[in-house]
Amino acid sequence: MKLNEIKDREGATHSKKRVGRGIGSGSGKTGGRGVKGQKSRSGVAINGFEGGQMPIYRRLPKRGFTNIFAKDFTEVSLGRLQAAVDAKKLDAKKTVTAEALKEAGVIRRVKDGVRVLSDGELKAKLTLEVAGASKTAIEKIEKAGGSITVLAGAKNAE
């Protein structure tokens, strides 16, 4: 195969609909917009308009807020860690960090750090170095003979 022979699969691309190009094209004259009315004209934005009735987004009260300083952790379950150890993607003898998890393909991106959750069983003796962990996850890790270090500076981690 050569670079000049590469092409998309059959049906992967569609040609753009050329509207207003004569009656014979099937979408000429009105360009697929129908006849008359507000929607046939340009510069129309009716999203959320309910025919003069008070729209639902104005009828319902505002609720809550979004904390823009909240940390977004990547969550990893103990079962997922055990599966990675069983598949020999993670080395149980080395310290398991966020970077090690990413290289092993256990997580896709680190975000604000990795937080370990207690779903699943852990048999391997792991040494973890993560941004946070749930209480039950810490108990399970220590019960399996491993240890966990919650990194400093990771607020809201526990």
Side-chain angles (χ1 to χ4, degrees):
M1 179 178 278
K2 298 183 183 90
L3 281 174
N4 66 335
E5 294 173 356
I6 295 173
K7 61 178 186 167
D8 284 324
R9 285 185 152 195
E10 200 63 45
T13 57
H14 302 278
S15 50
K16 189 172 158 266
K17 187 180 201 177
R18 296 180 70 224
V19 294
R21 292 291 181 275
I23 261 174
S25 69
S27 56
K29 194 183 168 213
T30 53
R33 286 172 178 262
V35 189
K36 291 187 180 175
Q38 186 181 5
K39 285 157 97 178
S40 72
R41 322 217 182 274
S42 66
V44 174
I46 308 182
N47 286 350
F49 182 72
E50 297 183 27
Q53 171 177 295
M54 186 65 69
I56 192 159
Y57 64 87
R58 288 187 61 196
R59 272 178 287 172
L60 298 175
K62 289 199 251 182
R63 288 264 320 178
F65 79 109
T66 303
N67 182 3
I68 59 167
F69 301 108
K71 299 274 187 206
D72 187 14
F73 293 108
T74 305
E75 296 166 345
V76 177
S77 66
L78 291 178
R80 192 117 163 78
L81 290 175
Q82 184 60 50
V85 171
D86 293 343
K88 298 199 173 26
K89 289 180 178 177
L90 271 181
D91 189 6
K93 294 174 186 80
K94 291 182 183 169
T95 305
V96 178
T97 60
E99 286 70 40
L101 290 170
K102 190 175 177 191
E103 285 170 24
V106 178
I107 59 173
R108 209 181 279 175
R109 59 187 70 82
V110 179
K111 295 183 189 171
D112 291 331
V114 174
R115 191 162 194 277
V116 181
L117 302 179
S118 66
D119 298 352
E121 288 299 314
L122 184 70
K123 299 178 203 93
K125 189 177 169 182
L126 292 175
T127 309
L128 292 154
E129 212 171 276
V130 288
S134 65
K135 285 178 186 167
T136 47
I138 293 169
E139 287 169 15
K140 283 184 178 181
I141 291 162
E142 287 169 352
K143 187 179 159 193
S147 64
I148 183 161
T149 311
V150 175
L151 299 172
K155 225 165 85 183
N156 307 335
E158 269 195 52

